[in-house]
């Protein structure tokens, strides 16, 4: 997939992008002219910060986010350690953030849940911890966990950020090299 670019929304030293929409699975949790969507603009805005481990979304999105999470997973949204079966893990939704320029950052459960085994399926239960927080007073911080599986280009001179799905093996961190045909 080719790299797509979103313009930097503010010139304050951080890579802040304009958020058009936020989805949990297929359900919009911040869209249109909602207060939840507007909350991504407050304070510093929505910044991509590879120096921050976790992701912090605005408090204003928490009610809708938690409601959709419960509908989708049957579990209350929390950051505490919790045991998941493989089948429960499969119910965890992707988090998709759509930026200006129709650039979509899709964060899979393997990126926002800490402790996911490197193999594709497990038996019994595995303890996982959710690393998305819904308590940022204004704006959002999209930490390193949102960047797993993506190539990012922080283009300072072009005042934009490029985003593309990475072609690498996430279990080893090594690029997947395929001969060009």
């Amino acid at each position: 997939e080719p790299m797509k670019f979103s313009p930097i929304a503010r010139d304050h030293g951080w890579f802040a992008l304009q958020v058009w929409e936020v989805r949990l699975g297929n359900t919009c949790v911040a869209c249109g002219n909602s207060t939840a969507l507007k909350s991504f603009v407050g304070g510093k805005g929505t910044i991509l910060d590879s120096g921050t481990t976790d992701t912090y979304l605005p408090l204003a999105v928490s009610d809708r986010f938690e409601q959709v999470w419960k509908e989708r997973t049957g579990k209350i949204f929390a950051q505490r350690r919790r045991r998941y079966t493989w089948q429960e893990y499969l119910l965890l939704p992707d988090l998709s953030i759509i930026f200006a320029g129709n650039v979509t950052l899709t964060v899979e459960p393997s990126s926002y849940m800490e402790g996911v085994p490197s193999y594709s399926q497990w038996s019994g239960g595995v303890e996982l911890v959710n690393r998305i927080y819904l308590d940022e007073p204004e704006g959002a911080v999209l930490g390193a966990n949102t960047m797993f599986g993506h190539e990012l280009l922080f283009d300072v001179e072009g005042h934009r950020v490029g985003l593309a799905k990475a072609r690498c093996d996430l279990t080893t961190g090594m690029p997947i090299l395929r001969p060009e045909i």
Side-chain angles (χ1 to χ4, degrees), residues 47-56 105 141-148:
I47 64 169
L48 288 170
D49 186 3
S50 61
T52 299
T53 305
D54 299 331
T55 291
Y56 301 86
L105 174 65
V141 179
L142 306 179
N145 66 344
T146 64
M147 300 176 201
F148 295 149

Side-chain angles (χ1 to χ4, degrees), residues 11-76:
D11 190 18
H12 54 35
W14 287 313
F15 290 93
L17 300 179
Q18 181 184 1
V19 176
W20 281 359
E21 188 171 286
V22 178
R23 297 186 157 278
L24 196 54
N26 294 326
T27 305
C28 188
V29 295
C31 53
N33 201 22
S34 68
T35 301
L37 184 60
K38 290 176 185 174
S39 68
F40 282 85
V41 177
K44 66 197 156 303
T46 296
I47 64 169
L48 288 170
D49 186 3
S50 61
T52 299
T53 305
D54 299 331
T55 291
Y56 301 86
L57 300 181
L59 181 61
V61 77
S62 64
D63 289 344
R64 180 73 175 133
F65 192 101
E66 290 169 351
Q67 173 193 7
V68 172
W69 182 275
K70 176 104 168 91
E71 290 169 1
R72 174 83 186 222
T73 68
K75 295 184 179 285
I76 294 172

Side-chain angles (χ1 to χ4, degrees), residues 49-151:
D49 186 3
S50 61
T52 299
T53 305
D54 299 331
T55 291
Y56 301 86
L57 300 181
L59 181 61
V61 77
S62 64
D63 289 344
R64 180 73 175 133
F65 192 101
E66 290 169 351
Q67 173 193 7
V68 172
W69 182 275
K70 176 104 168 91
E71 290 169 1
R72 174 83 186 222
T73 68
K75 295 184 179 285
I76 294 172
F77 181 81
Q79 283 75 35
R80 63 179 165 67
R81 186 171 299 281
R82 180 178 287 161
R83 184 167 290 282
Y84 288 85
T85 66
W86 176 250
Q87 291 305 317
E88 290 170 329
Y89 175 77
L90 292 177
L91 295 175
L92 297 177
D94 290 346
L95 170 65
S96 296
I97 303 163
I98 298 96
F99 300 108
N102 203 27
V103 176
T104 301
L105 174 65
T106 299
V107 186
E108 298 173 358
S110 60
S111 295
Y112 67 74
M113 296 298 279
E114 182 177 292
V116 177
S118 60
Y119 44 92
S120 62
Q121 187 172 340
W122 62 81
S123 60
V126 173
E127 288 192 353
L128 305 175
V129 178
N130 191 330
R131 303 311 260 181
I132 297 174
Y133 298 86
L134 305 174
D135 57 2
E136 194 70 12
E138 295 182 311
V141 179
L142 306 179
N145 66 344
T146 64
M147 300 176 201
F148 295 149
H150 297 91
E151 297 285 345

